[in-house]
Amino acid sequence: MSMENIDMYYFSGTGNTRLVAEKMMEVFRDIGVKTTLQKIEDSETGDVDLSHTIGIGFPVAILSTYSFVWDFINGLPEAHGTEIFMVDTLGGYSGGIVGPLRKILEKKGYKTIGACEIVMPLNIFYIQDSETCKTKVQRGLMKAEEYAHALVEGRARWGRVPVFSDVMKTVSMGGLKLAAWGPHQRYLKFRVERSLCNVCGTCADLCPVGNIKMEEHPVAGDNCQYCMRCVSFCPLGAIPCIMNYRGKTYSAMNHGEMLK
Ligand SMILES: Cc1cc2nc3c(=O)[nH]c(=O)nc-3n(C[C@H](O)[C@H](O)[C@H](O)COP(=O)(O)O)c2cc1C
C-alpha cells in the first residue's frame, strides 16, 4: 500500500470496533503515516478524500452491518484506484460479508487491499463474564496490530467465498428490513426506566441515528438500529436491555470515553 495518508471511517456501538480502529491507527502512526480516524455517524461520504487510502471499520450486525453503515458504504464516491481496506468485529460469525463488500467497492473503482474479521466479545443476547471479555479484547487487539502491519507490508488479503456469501448478504438484508419494520420497532423498543433516569441526555447524545429525543424523559423513535449504545452506556443503567440474558450489557469502555 502506498500509505502516505490514511483516513479511517468506523462505527462502533459498544467500543469493540473503536478499540480495534484505534490500535490500527497507532501502528500506522508509529511508522510515520498520517492518519485520521472518523466516526461514520459524523461523516459525509462527499467529504471522502480519494487521494488518501481509505479504511472502513464496523461491527457485524445481523450477518452484515447496520443499515446506516451500509448507507455510508453505498454512498462512497466513485473512485479510480483509491486503495481501501476494511475491518469488522464480530461475536463469531459474519456470513462472509467481506465478499459482497469487496464486489461493491471494486465496482465503484476502489482497489481493495485487505479485509479482516476480528472476534471480540459478543454485545448482544449472552454477555460473557468480564475476564473472558477482557481476554477476547486482548486477543482481538493483537490481531488488529498484526493486520495493520500486514496492510503496511502489502501482505493483507481480501478473500471472498463466491455465491454463499452473496446468499448470506441477501439473508442479512432481509433481517435488517425486518428489524426496521414498524411493528418490530414498536414491540422491541428500548424504554427508559423513569424512576432511575436523571435525564442526563447521554443516550440521546450517543444514539448514532438521532433516534432518541429528550422530552420529559428520553423517548426512542422507530428507527432503532439495535447497536446497544444507549443500553450499554447509560451511566445509571436506566435502560433495561430486553434482548439480553438477564438484561446484562457489555461495553469495551465507559460512557465518557465513548462520548469523545
Ligand atoms: C444487533 C446486533 C446484531 C449482531 N449480529 C451479529 C452477527 O450476525 N454475527 C456476529 O458474529 N456477531 C453479531 N453481533 C455481535 C457484534 O458484532 C460484536 O459484539 C461486535 O464486536 C460489536 O462491536 P462494537 O462494540 O464496535 O459495536 C451483533 C450485535 C448486535 C448488537
Side-chain angles (χ1 to χ4, degrees), residues 125 178-179 181-191 220-221 224 226 242-243:
F125 302 138
L178 181 66
W181 187 45
H184 185 283
Q185 286 279 329
R186 280 187 284 280
Y187 190 64
L188 284 179
K189 199 185 272 297
F190 293 121
R191 289 187 173 81
C224 180
Y226 303 103
I242 46 181
M243 289 170 186

Coordinates of all heavy atoms in Angstrom, one line a residue, residues 125 178-179 181-191 220-221 224 226 242-243:
F125 N -27.5 -10.6 23.4 CA -28.0 -11.9 23.8 C -27.4 -12.5 25.0 O -28.0 -12.6 26.0 CB -28.0 -12.9 22.6 CG -28.7 -12.5 21.4 CD1 -28.2 -12.7 20.1 CD2 -30.0 -11.8 21.5 CE1 -28.9 -12.3 19.0 CE2 -30.7 -11.4 20.4 CZ -30.1 -11.6 19.1
L178 N -36.5 -6.5 8.4 CA -37.3 -7.0 9.5 C -37.1 -6.1 10.7 O -38.1 -5.7 11.4 CB -37.1 -8.5 9.8 CG -38.0 -9.1 10.9 CD1 -39.4 -9.1 10.4 CD2 -37.5 -10.5 11.2
A179 N -35.8 -5.8 11.0 CA -35.5 -5.0 12.2 C -36.1 -3.6 12.1 O -36.4 -3.0 13.1 CB -34.0 -5.0 12.4
W181 N -38.8 -2.9 10.4 CA -40.3 -2.9 10.3 C -41.0 -2.3 11.5 O -40.6 -2.6 12.6 CB -40.6 -4.4 10.1 CG -42.0 -4.7 9.7 CD1 -42.8 -4.2 8.8 CD2 -42.8 -5.8 10.3 NE1 -44.0 -4.8 8.7 CE2 -44.1 -5.8 9.7 CE3 -42.6 -6.7 11.3 CZ2 -45.1 -6.6 10.0 CZ3 -43.6 -7.6 11.6 CH2 -44.9 -7.6 11.0
G182 N -42.0 -1.5 11.2 CA -42.7 -0.8 12.2 C -43.1 -1.6 13.5 O -42.7 -1.3 14.6
P183 N -43.9 -2.7 13.3 CA -44.3 -3.5 14.5 C -43.1 -4.0 15.3 O -43.1 -4.1 16.5 CB -45.1 -4.6 13.9 CG -45.6 -4.1 12.5 CD -44.5 -3.2 12.1
H184 N -42.0 -4.4 14.6 CA -40.8 -4.9 15.2 C -40.2 -3.8 16.1 O -39.9 -3.9 17.3 CB -39.8 -5.4 14.2 CG -38.6 -6.0 14.8 ND1 -37.5 -5.3 15.3 CD2 -38.2 -7.3 14.9 CE1 -36.6 -6.1 15.8 NE2 -37.0 -7.3 15.5
Q185 N -40.1 -2.6 15.5 CA -39.6 -1.4 16.2 C -40.4 -1.1 17.4 O -39.9 -0.8 18.5 CB -39.5 -0.2 15.3 CG -38.4 -0.3 14.2 CD -37.1 0.1 14.7 OE1 -37.0 1.0 15.6 NE2 -36.0 -0.5 14.2
R186 N -41.7 -1.2 17.3 CA -42.6 -0.8 18.4 C -42.6 -1.8 19.5 O -42.5 -1.5 20.7 CB -44.0 -0.5 17.9 CG -44.1 0.9 17.3 CD -45.5 1.3 16.9 NE -46.0 0.6 15.7 CZ -45.7 1.0 14.5 NH1 -45.0 2.0 14.3 NH2 -46.2 0.3 13.5
Y187 N -42.5 -3.1 19.1 CA -42.6 -4.2 20.1 C -41.2 -4.3 20.8 O -41.2 -4.4 22.1 CB -42.9 -5.5 19.4 CG -43.2 -6.6 20.3 CD1 -44.3 -6.6 21.2 CD2 -42.4 -7.7 20.4 CE1 -44.6 -7.6 22.1 CE2 -42.6 -8.7 21.3 CZ -43.7 -8.7 22.1 OH -44.0 -9.7 23.0
L188 N -40.1 -4.2 20.1 CA -38.8 -4.3 20.7 C -38.2 -2.9 21.0 O -37.0 -2.8 20.7 CB -37.9 -5.2 19.9 CG -38.2 -6.7 19.9 CD1 -37.2 -7.4 19.0 CD2 -38.1 -7.2 21.3
K189 N -38.9 -2.0 21.5 CA -38.4 -0.7 21.7 C -37.7 -0.6 23.1 O -38.2 -1.2 24.0 CB -39.6 0.3 21.8 CG -39.2 1.7 21.6 CD -40.4 2.6 21.8 CE -41.2 2.9 20.5 NZ -40.6 3.5 19.4
F190 N -36.5 0.1 23.1 CA -35.9 0.3 24.4 C -36.7 1.4 25.2 O -36.9 2.4 24.6 CB -34.4 0.7 24.2 CG -33.6 -0.4 23.6 CD1 -32.9 -0.2 22.4 CD2 -33.5 -1.6 24.2 CE1 -32.2 -1.2 21.9 CE2 -32.7 -2.6 23.7 CZ -32.0 -2.4 22.5
R191 N -37.0 1.1 26.4 CA -37.8 2.1 27.2 C -37.0 2.4 28.4 O -36.5 1.5 29.1 CB -39.2 1.5 27.5 CG -40.1 1.4 26.3 CD -41.5 1.0 26.7 NE -42.3 1.1 25.5 CZ -42.4 0.1 24.5 NH1 -41.7 -1.0 24.6 NH2 -43.2 0.3 23.4
A220 N -37.5 6.8 22.7 CA -37.0 6.3 21.4 C -38.0 6.3 20.3 O -39.2 6.0 20.6 CB -36.5 4.8 21.7
G221 N -37.6 6.6 19.1 CA -38.5 6.6 18.0 C -38.4 5.2 17.3 O -38.1 4.2 17.9
C224 N -34.7 2.5 15.5 CA -33.6 2.0 16.3 C -32.8 1.0 15.4 O -33.3 0.2 14.7 CB -34.1 1.3 17.5 SG -32.9 0.5 18.5
Y226 N -30.5 -1.0 16.9 CA -30.1 -2.0 17.9 C -28.6 -2.1 18.1 O -28.1 -3.2 18.2 CB -30.7 -3.4 17.5 CG -32.2 -3.3 17.4 CD1 -32.9 -3.2 16.2 CD2 -33.0 -3.2 18.6 CE1 -34.2 -3.1 16.1 CE2 -34.4 -3.1 18.5 CZ -35.0 -3.1 17.2 OH -36.4 -3.0 17.1
I242 N -33.9 -5.6 26.9 CA -34.8 -6.7 26.9 C -34.3 -7.9 26.1 O -34.8 -9.0 26.2 CB -36.2 -6.2 26.3 CG1 -35.9 -5.4 25.1 CG2 -37.0 -5.4 27.3 CD1 -37.2 -4.8 24.4
M243 N -33.3 -7.6 25.3 CA -32.8 -8.7 24.4 C -31.8 -9.6 25.0 O -31.5 -10.7 24.5 CB -32.2 -8.1 23.1 CG -33.1 -7.5 22.2 SD -32.2 -6.7 21.0 CE -33.6 -5.9 20.2

